[in-house]
Amino acid sequence: MSILVNLRSRQGFIEMLRVFRIQRFNPEREPNQWVDEYTLEVNEDDKILDILLKIRDEVDTTLGFRASCAHGVCGSDGMMIDGLNRLACQTFVGDVPGRKPINIAPLKGVPVEKDLIVDMDPLLDKVKSVNPWVVAKEHKAGERELLMSQEDFEKIEDMTKCIWCSCCTTSCPSLWSDSDYLGPQALVMAARFILDTRNEDAEKIIEKVGGLDGVFRCHTIGNCTDACPRDIDVTGAIAAVKKVLLQGIDNEDKFSNIVWEKGDEKE
Amino acid sequence: MRYSIKEGMLSWLLHRLTGIGIFIFLIIHVMGAIYLKIGPEEWNHHVELFNTPFFRVAEVGLMGAILWHGLNGLRIIIIDFSGIRTSHFAKFLFWIIVFLTILLMLPGTYILLKPLFEGVAG
């Protein structure tokens, strides 16, 4: 859709005035929270990040936000734009249709440090808490690297695209109401390393995500899937973890001593 | 500035609210049983309370809450375990359970509220 918007505006150079309402926060000011409005002449194919940079450079130098690569790879400029979590560098002015003001606010459910900058540590600690890494089995003599089959990789390919922007976790109402909930991002990582056939320590991950604040706090709301800038099926990944917890996984040998008995497992 | 509310979030919100509502009902329901211990007169008086117009309307709400909470639980199970992974399907199921909740409420609402209007007519 953004490509179409690009072409149209390049042909006609549609310049228009749009209002940007940005939620501000400064712990040293009283009141420490307020909303600023900026009216700018913009094109439909201007990125929100470019507009934030323009505001910071030309209008208000106190505006704080994170951005690094500006090409949707580093995942540092996640914010709430027009009521949805997205990357500012991947969202165009034309993505918010009409002439209404564009609301920009920091990610929800985490402490704000300054304007659009939030404290990511609690979220990243949650991801680390599920052991998102491969614990490899011992190498056999002559074996140079651990391989997995093409089919096995296709199962987890979607989840390996995660850029840790936390747009999914901070769009989750379950997390807003229970800050101890692991959240979609940690559960995607859990799914990715549970289903990774090279990982010998999947039982540990399963133990961690099966608790009270684990995978069953997910109510399949779907905000995370809508928010993901990499189009990962986040709710689907969480559903995969739920299935592993309830049914066990295809690899019986590896998962025989965890989760509930499947009955006649070996056909 | 709030997050935009879509079907999934609405279902979660209603699930929470109905959950709290059902919990409050259960407290009233279980505490009401204390009247059994106090005496038959008091128990009858307590049960009469549920015949008042206020409680009859409230019971319609209770029925809706239980239906929504139960059906939405089934919806979550279906989304997770059916293997159909599209947001269209989730939204479709949302409107299906809205429809089912209203449909299943109709006969109960009729039975619960009928005496009220009879009272007015008589």
Side-chain angles (χ1 to χ4, degrees):
Chain A
M1 189 194 141
S2 45
I3 296 167
L4 277 174
V5 169
N6 268 341
L7 288 173
R8 197 171 51 192
S9 54
R10 285 228 179 82
Q11 280 165 4
F13 282 109
I14 303 166
E15 283 245 330
M16 54 184 170
L17 284 173
R18 293 282 305 245
V19 179
F20 296 85
R21 298 178 73 237
I22 301 178
Q23 188 163 322
R24 306 288 303 269
F25 177 83
N26 185 348
E28 291 168 0
R29 220 187 98 154
E30 209 44 62
N32 56 18
Q33 209 175 0
W34 72 101
V35 175
D36 267 347
E37 284 193 11
Y38 304 95
T39 309
L40 294 166
E41 205 168 75
V42 290
N43 276 327
E44 270 195 348
D45 62 349
D46 280 342
K47 291 190 287 188
I48 299 290
L49 179 61
D50 292 338
I51 285 148
L52 289 176
L53 286 166
K54 197 174 176 186
I55 291 171
R56 195 190 62 185
D57 292 347
E58 296 172 15
V59 186
D60 186 350
T61 48
T62 62
L63 179 67
F65 57 92
R66 272 201 200 98
S68 187
C69 75
H71 289 82
V73 181
C74 70
S76 53
D77 59 352
M79 54 190 74
M80 196 175 88
I81 300 164
D82 191 36
L84 287 173
N85 279 359
R86 323 181 215 202
L87 296 182
C89 57
Q90 299 277 286
T91 310
F92 295 90
V93 172
D95 289 342
V96 183
R99 292 287 165 108
K100 60 177 178 176
I102 298 176
N103 291 329
I104 302 173
L107 298 174
K108 283 196 182 298
V110 275
V112 181
E113 290 186 332
K114 171 90 167 65
D115 297 340
L116 303 173
I117 301 169
V118 294
D119 183 10
M120 301 282 270
D121 286 347
L123 302 175
L124 301 181
D125 285 344
K126 276 176 194 167
V127 181
K128 283 176 204 153
S129 77
V130 299
N131 296 7
W133 47 74
V134 169
V135 178
K137 59 192 168 194
E138 279 178 38
H139 279 212
K140 289 176 199 137
E143 201 178 40
R144 294 182 68 186
E145 52 192 326
L146 288 163
L147 296 172
M148 65 196 302
S149 67
Q150 188 67 37
E151 295 83 57
D152 285 336
F153 178 68
E154 275 164 12
K155 278 187 204 163
I156 60 165
E157 188 186 4
D158 197 35
M159 308 161 202
T160 58
K161 295 186 295 189
C162 179
I163 53 171
W164 294 49
C165 66
S166 295
C167 281
C168 55
T169 306
T170 48
S171 74
C172 178
S174 294
L175 182 106
W176 300 339
S177 63
D178 171 16
S179 56
D180 291 332
Y181 171 48
L182 279 174
Q185 190 190 352
L187 293 171
V188 165
M189 281 295 122
R192 184 237 178 282
F193 286 99
I194 286 170
L195 299 174
D196 193 316
T197 50
R198 300 164 302 171
N199 192 5
E200 290 287 284
D201 246 1
E203 291 93 337
K204 259 191 189 164
I205 305 177
I206 289 171
E207 248 171 54
K208 287 191 174 162
V209 298
L212 190 65
D213 293 314
V215 73
F216 290 105
R217 283 249 174 243
C218 169
H219 281 228
T220 64
I221 295 159
N223 274 4
C224 48
T225 312
D226 288 343
C228 184
R230 306 296 300 236
D231 292 333
I232 300 171
D233 180 10
V234 184
T235 319
I238 299 173
V241 180
K242 284 181 188 166
K243 273 187 187 167
V244 168
L245 272 163
L246 292 174
Q247 303 172 345
I249 202 163
D250 298 329
N251 189 345
E252 286 100 348
D253 290 329
K254 200 163 142 190
F255 290 89
S256 56
N257 53 354
I258 45 122
V259 301
W260 293 290
E261 289 296 324
K262 260 172 81 184
D264 298 320
E265 237 173 324
K266 280 171 187 147
E267 291 142 30
Chain B
M1 294 176 193
R2 61 171 173 75
Y3 210 86
S4 64
I5 295 176
K6 290 185 178 173
E7 283 91 340
M9 201 156 140
L10 200 58
S11 77
W12 169 83
L13 209 60
L14 287 170
H15 201 75
R16 287 232 140 192
L17 292 175
T18 55
I20 294 166
I22 294 166
F23 181 68
I24 291 169
F25 158 72
L26 278 175
I27 293 174
I28 298 170
H29 188 61
V30 173
M31 295 308 268
I34 290 170
Y35 286 105
L36 279 175
K37 209 70 176 148
I38 297 170
E41 291 282 310
E42 286 80 1
W43 169 256
N44 283 345
H45 177 74
H46 172 67
V47 174
E48 269 302 303
L49 203 68
F50 294 112
N51 239 339
T52 56
F54 172 77
F55 273 96
R56 283 198 172 261
V57 174
E59 273 177 336
V60 173
L62 174 69
M63 179 174 59
I66 291 172
L67 278 171
W68 178 270
H69 204 79
L71 288 169
N72 195 45
L74 292 175
R75 172 180 162 273
I76 292 171
I77 294 171
I78 291 168
I79 292 172
D80 273 337
F81 294 99
S82 66
I84 305 171
R85 297 236 38 82
T86 61
S87 55
H88 287 295
F89 180 64
K91 276 166 194 167
F92 171 72
L93 276 182
F94 173 83
W95 290 110
I96 285 281
I97 64 165
V98 168
F99 173 72
L100 274 180
T101 306
I102 293 169
L103 189 75
L104 292 172
M105 272 180 81
L106 286 177
T109 310
Y110 177 73
I111 292 164
L112 278 168
L113 296 186
K114 207 176 111 189
L116 293 187
F117 296 107
E118 274 171 358
V120 172

